[in-house]
Amino acid sequence: MAGNVNPTVRRRRLGQELRRLREDRGMTAEEVADRLLVSQSKISRLENGRRSISPRDVRDLCGVYDVEDAKLVESLMQMAKESRQQGWWHAFAELSPSYSVYIGLETDASSLRVYEPQVVPGLLQTAPYAAAVISGALPEVGEDEVRSRVQVRMRRQERIWEDRTPLRLWAVVDESVLRRAIGGAATMAEQLRKLEESSRLPHVTLQVMPFSAGAHPGVNGQYTILEFSEAADSTVVYLEGGTSDLYLEKPHDVQHYSIMYEHLRAQAYSPEQTRRFILQLAQDFDEQQR
């Protein structure tokens, strides 16, 4: 992949520009699809960056939109070429195409806000814990695929531990995450100590949502808010599903989840309380091994 071009982000930016051109022409996606003899869903996928786009697609769309600026057309076609290059995660695309989309966004994000009610966030998992999570969640996959998925998860963590401009991570996890004995007592003790260590990094904030909080804005499930340093890249809310994922970018959706996250942070243990709580649970798992 040339330079620091991120193909997933290139597709997003290109899709946003194509949507702007269509809206400037006052055309609907259905009208464009009819002109090009393609499905409306294809136009929508091109505009939301979820589908690879060819320079020919760009040329055809610019023709429909009567774009006369040759330099603009050439620039958009170059973006299309760059968007078809491959990031490191494409080597594992067979595991889950939708997962590749998420990794591409995470790789370019400047900050993440995560709420996790079931398991430790992937960016903070140990390898043994990750293997146990994947094996339990996907009981029909073989050992080779489990190893590949763990490898991807560990590679993603370079944004936390090794990047020159590390990812800013704020994670709120439910108390049940820390008490669920995934992989056994030894695995959990190791995992909890890594969590406590991670929480001391200057760019990582970790909070636990205690059972005593009762009902709270996270009861509807896991979500991640991805923010980017480039003004052209809108904030994305990622909702992971069993068979498909959802990406929300409309301002009112992003605002809704952002407000809910502020409530989560306010109701959770403070970072210092969280560290003490994690270390106590790690000791409890140690005692279970004796």
Side-chain angles (χ1 to χ4, degrees):
M1 190 169 68
N4 60 355
V5 173
N6 182 320
T8 303
V9 173
R10 276 289 186 269
R11 286 201 302 270
R12 281 188 78 216
R13 293 175 183 170
L14 179 55
Q16 291 168 356
E17 184 64 19
L18 293 173
R19 182 186 296 112
R20 183 189 65 79
L21 291 172
R22 174 177 61 76
E23 292 175 345
D24 286 349
R25 288 289 296 167
M27 300 181 69
T28 66
E30 184 178 9
E31 290 171 337
V32 175
D34 288 342
R35 287 279 297 274
L36 294 178
L37 301 178
V38 299
S39 67
Q40 181 181 342
S41 62
K42 176 180 178 177
I43 302 301
S44 297
R45 289 195 298 273
L46 293 179
E47 290 185 353
N48 65 26
R50 305 293 177 255
R51 176 184 174 128
S52 179
I53 182 169
S54 69
R56 179 176 179 176
D57 288 330
V58 171
R59 183 197 64 193
D60 292 346
L61 288 167
C62 286
V64 172
Y65 303 147
D66 295 328
V67 179
E68 297 179 354
D69 186 339
K71 290 185 177 180
L72 174 58
V73 175
E74 180 60 31
S75 175
L76 295 176
M77 291 178 68
Q78 180 61 32
M79 287 181 70
K81 292 177 183 178
E82 293 174 350
S83 74
R84 296 173 71 84
Q85 298 175 21
Q86 295 189 343
W88 65 263
W89 53 91
H90 283 84
F92 304 92
E94 72 279 359
L95 299 178
S96 172
S98 61
Y99 190 30
S100 295
V101 172
Y102 173 78
I103 296 175
L105 293 174
E106 182 185 84
T107 300
D108 206 62
S110 59
S111 71
L112 258 66
R113 286 174 284 168
V114 179
Y115 172 66
E116 180 55 71
Q118 296 291 341
V119 296
V120 170
L123 289 171
L124 302 177
Q125 294 179 4
T126 65
Y129 180 93
V133 168
I134 293 166
S135 297
L138 302 171
E140 296 183 358
V141 305
E143 293 183 3
D144 289 344
E145 182 171 337
V146 171
R147 280 193 293 269
S148 293
R149 287 178 178 269
V150 172
Q151 184 179 352
V152 172
R153 203 154 295 186
M154 297 303 103
R155 178 69 181 273
R156 287 169 54 203
Q157 293 183 10
E158 293 179 6
R159 291 293 319 277
I160 301 294
W161 295 96
E162 300 178 20
D163 205 305
R164 292 181 181 179
T165 55
L167 179 69
R168 177 73 179 92
L169 175 63
W170 196 307
V172 177
V173 301
D174 193 79
E175 180 176 340
S176 61
V177 170
L178 309 182
R179 293 188 178 278
R180 182 171 292 109
I182 292 177
T187 295
M188 284 302 300
E190 178 189 24
Q191 175 62 78
L192 290 171
R193 289 193 168 85
K194 177 174 181 177
L195 272 182
E196 195 273 340
E197 178 187 3
S198 302
S199 73
R200 295 184 180 277
L201 295 171
H203 51 278
V204 174
T205 302
L206 179 65
Q207 292 180 263
V208 169
M209 180 65 71
F211 290 150
S212 60
H216 56 78
V219 294
N220 289 327
Q222 182 271 353
Y223 67 93
T224 299
I225 303 173
L226 302 98
E227 296 176 299
F228 304 86
S229 57
E230 293 291 332
D233 298 325
S234 59
T235 300
V236 178
V237 177
Y238 169 67
L239 306 174
E240 183 178 2
T243 57
S244 62
D245 301 331
L246 186 61
Y247 297 87
L248 306 177
E249 300 181 56
K250 293 181 179 179
H252 69 273
D253 290 330
V254 173
Q255 182 182 33
H256 170 78
Y257 280 94
S258 295
I259 291 173
M260 293 302 99
Y261 204 80
E262 292 304 311
H263 285 287
L264 285 171
R265 296 199 293 202
Q267 293 178 241
Y269 283 153
S270 70
E272 185 56 40
Q273 288 174 312
T274 292
R275 279 191 283 272
R276 291 197 298 266
F277 186 70
I278 288 173
L279 289 177
Q280 179 58 58
L281 288 180
Q283 292 175 10
D284 293 344
F285 279 112
D286 283 337
E287 292 177 0
Q288 291 179 28
Q289 301 176 64
R290 294 172 184 168

